[in-house]
Amino acid sequence: MDRELIQKLKQKLEQEKEIIEKELERFAKKDEKLKGDWDTRFPKFDGGEVGGAALEKAADEVEEYEALLPIEYSLETKLQDINLALEKIEKNKYGKCEKCQKEISEKRLEVYPEARFCLKCKK
Ligand SMILES: [Zn+2]
């Protein structure tokens, strides 16, 4: 595979990584023990209000937390794929399908630089 193209894709991956990490930082925190893992922060209840209003507020926050989970999951999965792709670039193993070991088409990598499988194996 063309070195220049790999450099280009590497830059793209690093940019995407930065964007995703910023996005995740807005509502999740990095799990220090597990590399690449993020936890959605559960909203804090301040407990300042009493009765119905407080309960209603708590319910809203739980709803918000539940809505954030799938977003966190998809961002995290993408981030892991990006890290994996960057690792492969370091080890000169980039651009190969993990399943059939054939080269992934450059066209596919340009659109989807973190791709782990070729089009055939992805199905
Ligand atoms: Zn394949």
Side-chain angles (χ1 to χ4, degrees):
M1 208 176 156
D2 186 33
R3 280 197 76 85
E4 234 168 85
L5 180 65
I6 291 181
Q7 282 308 314
K8 203 177 102 191
L9 294 176
K10 190 182 170 190
Q11 264 179 6
K12 205 173 162 185
L13 284 162
E14 277 166 350
Q15 272 169 9
E16 265 190 86
K17 185 179 164 169
E18 219 172 286
I19 293 167
I20 293 175
E21 283 192 332
K22 274 207 186 105
E23 192 68 23
L24 275 166
E25 271 165 17
R26 283 171 47 207
F27 61 84
K29 73 174 182 29
K30 217 172 194 163
D31 193 322
E32 302 295 339
K33 280 166 272 173
L34 216 69
K35 199 180 156 234
D37 192 40
W38 291 70
D39 297 318
T40 300
R41 276 194 294 257
F42 198 81
K44 278 190 207 103
F45 305 121
D46 54 23
E49 287 153 281
V50 276
L55 267 179
E56 212 173 283
K57 200 176 166 219
D60 280 353
E61 285 178 354
V62 170
E63 219 168 273
E64 196 190 312
Y65 175 77
E66 279 172 355
L68 285 173
L69 281 179
I71 303 172
E72 192 232 289
Y73 180 76
S74 74
L75 285 172
E76 194 182 293
T77 311
K78 194 166 166 132
L79 189 62
Q80 280 168 354
D81 284 350
I82 289 174
N83 282 331
L84 206 72
L86 286 168
E87 241 171 71
K88 284 185 194 164
I89 291 174
E90 291 301 314
K91 292 177 184 158
N92 284 322
K93 282 179 183 165
Y94 182 70
K96 279 204 176 90
C97 171
E98 286 180 23
K99 211 164 175 181
C100 68
Q101 308 297 323
K102 282 188 187 128
E103 295 217 352
I104 302 172
S105 81
E106 291 182 0
K107 248 192 198 149
R108 174 161 161 75
L109 289 171
E110 275 183 67
V111 194
Y112 191 46
E114 72 272 33
R116 295 170 60 187
F117 305 105
C118 68
L119 266 182
K120 261 187 201 162
C121 296
K122 208 203 169 258
K123 278 172 199 159

